[in-house]
Amino acid sequence: MDTPHIKPRERDALIQSLRAGVVPRVGHRLIQVGRARELEALLGDLDRVAQGSAAIRFVIGDYGSGKSFFLSLVRTIALEKRLVTVHADLGPDRRLHASGGQARSLYAELMRNLATRAKPEGGALPSLVERFVTTATTEAQTNGVSPVEVIRKRLESLSEGVGGYDFAQVVEGWWRGWQEGKTELQADAIRWLRGEFTTKTQARQALGVRTVVDDASVYDHLKLVGALARLAGYDGMLVLLDEMVNLYKLQQTQARNANYEQILRILNDSLQGNVSGLGFLLAGTPEFLLDTRRGLYSYAALQTRLAENTFARDGLTDTSGPVLRLASLTPEDLYVLLSKLRSVYAGGDESRMLVPDQALSAFLAHSQQRVGDAAFRTPRMTVKAFLDLLAILEQNPGARWQNLLPTVDIAQDAPQPDTDDDLASFTL
């Protein structure tokens, strides 16, 4: 159960993230517990995407139930499976559908966060285009033909999609810039692919194309980027969207429905096989899904498609549908989690562990007494308090956990966050 030795830098980054209540960017493997069925379902989705099919899942859980961590973990696994990933949080200035630039802003954020196994932190779009061009050039040299001939032949499939002709022209423009040493042309091509051109005039002057990525074409361009990823040698692309509850918060019914229509379009394409090598993972709260006045269930076409299996009750679960609910942690899961956190805090060195197993059981009982079942359903505050306890013991060698434990504050009356980017059940 104890973790192996970890680097101090990774340990510090992990602990700081957990104490702040946000999703860590490193060290997921060190704190994973539970979520076996949910993870198995998502692994199946990733395999289908890698085989050329499509997948979509709605990850539903309460505030602090671990949705953001779950998405981050799946993203890490997807990268290991040779998928390209893009991820972003929705917000007031980022939506799936809009008329004031919010959808384009979401697309631009996704492209900035485009990641590959070689560049897991994002910013991999230039590398993706370069890999496509490099593989095409290698093929051309092998077959004794012109590189531009191979590139254009490969890009023919992209030209058939909506907006695909200009997309292909921009990629070819990057290659010309690469061949002729025109770095400005390469930079303009990447800017266009990132959705950073705002006017058609700018795009025509810089690249000779007559369109730009706008609010109405975001989904179409995501499909094109996914297709480019496959042409570059990757197995597909996974799109991860968090904070979907922000669509539920939109005050205007028309704006909400327009976004729900876009979700319906993505859902239909994924389930009907109209796209290939593309997966979507959307995370939101139960209200975002179930509210019949403002949630996805307020849109009749989505309600029928996302209705849960009526036989999944009395402890029975079904993880094959598009909706994946994150179940509560069990007391055993939380105990294992606290044990892992204790070991991480000690850098994997058993001799440096600050509390014995007895303290874990006592702290767990204390947490349940203070916040009840919420300690297992959304244990963010419990975990934060445990790390705070370890920090006190580390910085005050004379302190004893037996004396401190009764005063540990689990923040029973802490207000609910306005957003869903906090970390709670650090689970698989």
Side-chain angles (χ1 to χ4, degrees):
M1 185 179 298
D2 296 335
T3 59
H5 176 76
I6 60 176
K7 297 179 180 179
R9 180 179 178 182
E10 184 179 19
R11 178 258 186 198
D12 292 344
L14 183 59
I15 295 300
Q16 288 174 7
S17 297
L18 299 182
R19 290 192 67 186
V22 298
V23 177
R25 299 184 66 88
V26 296
H28 301 88
R29 71 191 187 283
L30 301 173
I31 52 174
Q32 38 181 284
V33 298
R35 304 285 193 239
R37 289 188 175 182
E38 294 92 336
L39 180 61
E40 183 179 359
L42 266 296
L43 289 176
D45 288 351
L46 296 181
D47 289 338
R48 283 191 290 274
V49 170
Q51 293 166 6
S53 298
I56 184 171
R57 292 279 185 163
F58 296 81
V59 179
I60 302 299
D62 293 318
Y63 283 114
S65 62
K67 296 184 296 298
S68 297
F69 181 84
F70 189 73
L71 262 63
S72 183
L73 179 61
V74 174
R75 173 180 170 271
T76 301
I77 297 173
L79 294 175
E80 293 296 322
K81 286 182 170 288
R82 289 179 46 80
L83 296 178
V84 171
T85 68
V86 293
H87 67 277
D89 293 348
L90 270 68
D93 59 339
R94 296 178 194 153
R95 306 178 198 166
L96 287 169
H97 184 280
S99 58
Q102 296 91 338
R104 187 184 63 82
S105 177
L106 174 64
Y107 174 86
E109 180 68 12
L110 288 169
M111 292 302 103
R112 281 192 291 270
N113 292 330
L114 189 146
T116 62
R117 184 176 180 179
K119 286 195 170 184
E121 297 301 318
L125 182 58
S127 299
L128 175 66
V129 178
E130 181 177 356
R131 176 165 175 164
F132 165 76
V133 170
T134 301
T135 55
T137 303
T138 302
E139 179 184 336
Q141 292 174 347
T142 302
N143 297 330
V145 297
S146 170
V148 68
E149 180 180 340
V150 177
I151 289 174
R152 288 175 177 173
K153 183 177 180 180
R154 287 190 173 194
L155 292 175
E156 282 181 3
S157 59
L158 298 183
S159 300
E160 298 173 359
V162 177
Y165 180 79
D166 281 348
F167 188 94
Q169 289 294 104
V170 170
V171 175
E172 185 179 331
W174 188 96
W175 172 78
R176 291 199 310 272
W178 183 56
Q179 281 285 95
E180 301 169 8
K182 297 179 179 179
T183 56
E184 184 177 353
L185 180 57
Q186 289 180 277
D188 286 338
I190 295 299
R191 286 182 57 216
W192 190 96
L193 293 171
R194 283 177 176 163
E196 295 177 3
F197 277 97
T198 57
T199 67
K200 297 178 182 179
T201 301
Q202 291 176 331
R204 185 170 61 254
Q205 292 174 347
L207 297 162
V209 296
R210 297 181 177 275
T211 62
V212 294
V213 181
D214 56 22
D215 286 334
S217 62
V218 165
Y219 175 48
D220 293 318
H221 278 87
L222 282 177
K223 290 191 289 185
L224 291 170
V225 174
L228 179 65
R230 295 194 302 278
L231 291 174
Y234 294 98
D235 291 338
M237 186 171 80
L238 180 65
V239 181
L240 304 104
L241 298 176
D242 204 353
E243 307 292 354
M244 296 296 291
V245 70
N246 280 288
L247 300 183
Y248 166 82
K249 294 179 180 179
L250 291 175
Q251 297 298 318
Q252 295 183 349
T253 303
Q254 185 177 359
R256 285 198 311 273
N257 287 342
N259 278 271
Y260 292 165
E261 286 177 5
Q262 194 74 334
I263 292 176
L264 177 63
R265 181 187 174 196
I266 296 172
L267 180 65
N268 286 340
D269 281 353
S270 300
L271 298 182
Q272 294 173 356
N274 295 333
V275 293
S276 59
L278 189 61
F280 284 85
L281 203 55
L282 290 69
T285 61
E287 293 81 8
F288 162 69
L289 173 69
L290 300 174
D291 193 309
T292 56
R293 188 172 63 90
R294 299 177 61 177
L296 292 179
Y297 273 23
S298 68
Y299 201 85
L302 284 173
Q303 182 176 9
T304 56
R305 287 164 175 77
L306 300 180
E308 299 181 67
N309 192 331
T310 57
F311 295 100
R313 61 180 186 272
D314 301 328
L316 303 177
T317 59
D318 177 14
T319 59
S320 63
V323 175
L324 193 65
R325 284 184 171 271
L326 295 188
S328 303
L329 289 180
T330 65
E332 292 78 13
D333 287 337
L334 193 54
Y335 181 91
V336 173
L337 175 58
L338 294 181
S339 179
K340 286 176 176 280
L341 291 172
R342 174 186 62 174
S343 189
V344 167
Y345 206 98
D349 185 351
E350 187 174 351
S351 64
R352 296 176 53 199
M353 293 183 182
L354 297 171
V355 293
D357 291 347
Q358 180 185 0
L360 303 183
S361 300
F363 188 90
L364 191 58
H366 176 73
S367 300
Q368 188 173 17
Q369 180 181 4
R370 291 296 303 274
V371 297
D373 290 339
F376 311 115
R377 188 171 63 251
T378 56
R380 174 180 56 249
M381 294 300 177
T382 300
V383 171
K384 182 181 184 304
F386 180 70
L387 293 175
D388 287 346
L389 172 65
L390 295 182
I392 291 296
L393 294 174
E394 179 184 42
Q395 298 173 54
N396 300 271
R400 301 178 69 245
W401 67 266
Q402 295 92 334
N403 297 332
L404 290 172
L405 190 54
T407 66
V408 174
D409 184 6
I410 308 298
Q412 181 177 10
D413 300 322
Q416 278 200 340
D418 290 331
T419 60
D420 189 28
D421 55 6
D422 294 342
L423 175 64
S425 56
F426 321 103
T427 60
L428 268 178

